[in-house]
Amino acid sequence: MKVLNSTVDLSKSASMFDEVSLWSSRFGALLFEQLELRDGLDILDVGCGTGFPVIELAAVHGENCRVTGVDVWKDAIERARAKIAWLEMTNVTVVEGDAARLPFPNGAFDLIVSNLGVNNFDNPERVFAECARVARPGARLVITTNVQGHMSEVYEVFRGVLPARYHERIADSERHRATRQELESRYLAAGFEVTRAVTAEFGMTFAHGSALLRHPLTRWFGWRDLVDAEDFEELFGAIEKAIDKPIRTTIPMLYVEGVRR
Ligand SMILES: C[S@@+](CC[C@H](N)C(=O)[O-])C[C@H]1O[C@@H](n2cnc3c(N)ncnc32)[C@H](O)[C@@H]1O
């Protein structure tokens, strides 16, 4: 890092100063609260998106660590690169690539991190195998994620309003998120010994069904696909009406750390 406590270029800050989303930051807070910082590491962030937590990992570890981010999302990698250049950071790089085929040699990293990645990988088994391949013996694999139980209060409403023929889809939607047991099994199968698991949760409250269903975050959860297109207006209208007062939803989080055997 060249710059020691300099001021930032304010003329460029509006286009770069996008704070981490409230959603990602909750998991990021758990990550940075639990992660023990060590010196001289090669660090990989899998699914680094537009630069979180890869940039923060580089910033808190300092210049003796080399930090790399990888993501399949080309535009996000370009954005992360622009932020890194603007911040004048020299200990962090980002690469476009698929975590199921990591573009790195065997045994390249001492710490592999993924914040909110694991529920999004098409082939998590392959991603874990790749993490094991690029990990040095003794390297740590740290994952933070939401787990099953995610917004269970909303799924309860879905079950109450949607006809029985949709209940299996509701269950599938709930099940697509990891459980602690599943994640720990993946660690073991890939050759990591689980050394720590920390559970936490936070709440998100929405004023009513209308706010919940139109919220920019919940659009990512695929709830529209729970019902057939021809039923959408009627059934989602009924869900919207059924939630006629503030609804507090629970988001269970998990931090899992393991060591490469
Ligand atoms: C929910 S976002 C999390 C992004 C960021 N880590 C954060 O905390 O905000 C999941 C990220 O995983 C990436 N992703 C999904 N599948 C991937 C894969 N096979 N290889 C690499 N990245 C992947 C997505 O492109 C996306 O950026």
Side-chain angles (χ1 to χ4, degrees):
M1 236 170 270
K2 308 194 284 237
V3 181
L4 185 63
N5 205 17
S6 71
T7 53
V8 294
D9 179 354
L10 286 176
S11 67
K12 285 196 192 143
S13 59
S15 64
M16 294 292 162
F17 188 78
D18 52 347
E19 290 286 346
V20 177
S21 72
L22 181 60
W23 175 251
S24 294
S25 70
R26 309 305 286 260
F27 298 87
L30 176 64
L31 170 67
F32 286 102
E33 203 175 279
Q34 296 298 328
L35 183 67
E36 183 196 306
L37 304 189
R38 298 180 191 163
D39 206 16
L41 303 182
D42 286 301
I43 302 173
L44 175 66
D45 176 15
V46 180
C48 65
T50 59
F52 186 77
V54 68
I55 293 174
E56 186 64 18
L57 282 165
V60 296
H61 279 87
E63 58 194 300
N64 289 337
C65 292
R66 297 149 299 276
V67 186
T68 307
V70 66
D71 203 292
V72 274
W73 186 7
K74 185 174 188 294
D75 291 349
I77 287 293
E78 275 170 23
R79 176 129 186 88
R81 261 193 208 124
K83 287 187 203 170
I84 291 164
W86 173 60
L87 292 167
E88 300 180 35
M89 293 176 74
T90 51
N91 64 338
V92 52
T93 50
V94 289
V95 180
E96 186 189 339
D98 184 349
R101 279 172 290 133
L102 285 171
F104 309 111
N106 295 352
F109 298 101
D110 308 289
L111 170 64
I112 302 170
V113 169
S114 189
N115 190 58
L116 286 172
V118 74
N119 290 336
N120 296 285
F121 301 142
D122 288 341
N123 189 344
E125 204 177 310
R126 201 54 242 134
V127 174
F128 271 82
E130 278 294 89
C131 288
R133 182 184 65 74
V134 301
R136 294 187 179 126
R140 290 170 294 164
L141 173 63
V142 170
I143 286 179
T144 35
T145 185
N146 51 332
V147 286
Q148 273 180 36
H150 164 102
M151 293 196 171
S152 58
E153 299 85 352
V154 177
Y155 285 104
E156 260 331 292
V157 176
F158 288 161
R159 260 189 288 276
V161 173
L162 299 186
R165 67 179 183 283
Y166 286 124
H167 287 198
E168 197 44 41
R169 283 194 211 170
I170 297 171
D172 281 347
S173 171
E174 290 189 281
R175 274 195 296 259
H176 97 269
R177 296 184 182 93
T179 63
R180 174 173 173 174
Q181 199 184 8
E182 243 170 56
L183 269 185
E184 292 195 4
S185 306
R186 289 198 191 284
Y187 270 73
L188 287 174
F192 290 91
E193 183 192 340
V194 175
T195 47
R196 208 142 60 93
V198 179
T199 55
E201 66 174 41
F202 66 96
M204 285 184 78
T205 303
F206 302 84
H208 36 61
S210 170
L212 171 74
L213 296 175
R214 286 172 178 75
H215 192 285
L217 174 72
T218 66
R219 294 180 206 166
W220 292 90
F221 297 153
W223 291 341
R224 276 188 87 99
D225 303 334
L226 286 175
V227 300
D228 296 334
E230 62 272 21
D231 290 341
F232 178 76
E233 290 296 328
E234 183 198 334
L235 293 179
F236 269 74
I239 291 165
E240 190 171 348
K241 271 206 198 111
I243 307 175
D244 57 0
K245 56 180 187 299
I247 178 169
R248 186 184 191 277
T249 66
T250 309
I251 292 95
M253 299 189 286
L254 181 63
Y255 170 103
V256 190
E257 185 172 317
V259 172
R260 181 79 173 102
R261 288 195 292 257

